[in-house]
């Protein structure tokens, strides 16, 4: 039986936002973009955590295994600094990595931001959950989601028979 409602986990990975030193802008940006893109109903989980690989891994595992999120979107921790460990955490918890997501996000981003080549976002699956890493800047989040979101409904359908509808006009305008 096809599921028409999914659960989406939004994970903001930022030392300063987790400590309350500045407002989380990545999490709300992801949520706003998805709200515009999805026509199907969904529920959410959201958390702000520090850039600690073990904490990122534990949170992704919790969202996938215990909170049963079909889609998990992360923001932050994908750059070149030593504190940016989101891709390593994602690789550690995923059973399969989908390189095409990362390739597409970087390819599209490079059209407007020459430093996009430094971004290390990735994507993969854990059980029936699709995990996608996104950059931390709101503009980059929109570009990257627009670059890959057309594939999300099919991926979720193949993982757990989810049948979600997206606003093609919105998603394609961001692509």
């Amino acid at each position: 039986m096809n599921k028409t409602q999914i659960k989406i986990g939004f994970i903001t990975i930022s030392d300063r936002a987790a400590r309350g030193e500045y407002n989380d802008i990545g999490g709300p940006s992801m949520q706003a973009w998805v709200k515009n893109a999805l026509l199907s109903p969904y529920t959410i989980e959201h958390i702000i955590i520090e850039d600690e690989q073990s904490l990122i891994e534990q949170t992704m595992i919790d969202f996938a295994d215990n909170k049963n999120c079909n889609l998990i979107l992360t923001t932050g921790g994908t750059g070149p600094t030593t504190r940016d460990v989101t891709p390593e955490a994602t690789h550690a918890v995923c059973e399969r990595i989908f390189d095409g997501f990362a390739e597409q996000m970087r390819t599209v981003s490079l059209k407007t931001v020459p430093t996009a080549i430094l971004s290390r976002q990735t994507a993969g699956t854990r059980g029936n959950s699709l995990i996608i890493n996104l950059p931390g800047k709101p503009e980059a989040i929109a570009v990257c989601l627009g670059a890959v979101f057309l594939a999300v409904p099919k991926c979720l359908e193949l993982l757990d028979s989810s049948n979600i509808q997206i606003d093609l006009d919105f998603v394609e305008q961001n692509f």
Side-chain angles (χ1 to χ4, degrees), residues 50-66:
E50 292 187 358
D51 281 304
E52 296 293 339
Q53 185 169 342
S54 62
L55 179 59
I56 298 166
E57 289 175 17
Q58 291 168 357
T59 303
M60 288 180 186
I61 290 168
D62 182 46
F63 274 39
D65 298 359
N66 302 320

Side-chain angles (χ1 to χ4, degrees), residues 52-62 64-65 85-98 120 122-127 131 133:
E52 296 293 339
Q53 185 169 342
S54 62
L55 179 59
I56 298 166
E57 289 175 17
Q58 291 168 357
T59 303
M60 288 180 186
I61 290 168
D62 182 46
D65 298 359
V85 294
T86 302
E88 288 78 10
T90 303
H91 282 256
V93 304
C94 284
E95 291 127 3
R96 292 172 290 167
I97 297 298
F98 291 89
R120 301 178 317 110
T122 191
T125 55
R126 178 179 179 86
I131 301 171
N133 300 155

Side-chain angles (χ1 to χ4, degrees), residues 4-66:
T4 58
Q5 179 168 318
I6 63 169
K7 183 184 269 190
I8 304 174
F10 296 97
I11 304 172
T12 298
I13 300 158
S14 166
D15 290 330
R16 292 179 294 157
R19 291 191 300 258
E21 294 174 10
Y22 80 83
N23 291 331
D24 171 24
I25 57 173
S29 294
M30 290 188 298
Q31 290 182 40
W33 195 95
V34 167
K35 182 178 181 181
N36 286 318
L38 272 180
L39 299 173
S40 299
Y42 63 96
T43 59
I44 69 167
E45 293 283 341
H46 179 252
I47 193 168
I48 303 170
I49 60 173
E50 292 187 358
D51 281 304
E52 296 293 339
Q53 185 169 342
S54 62
L55 179 59
I56 298 166
E57 289 175 17
Q58 291 168 357
T59 303
M60 288 180 186
I61 290 168
D62 182 46
F63 274 39
D65 298 359
N66 302 320

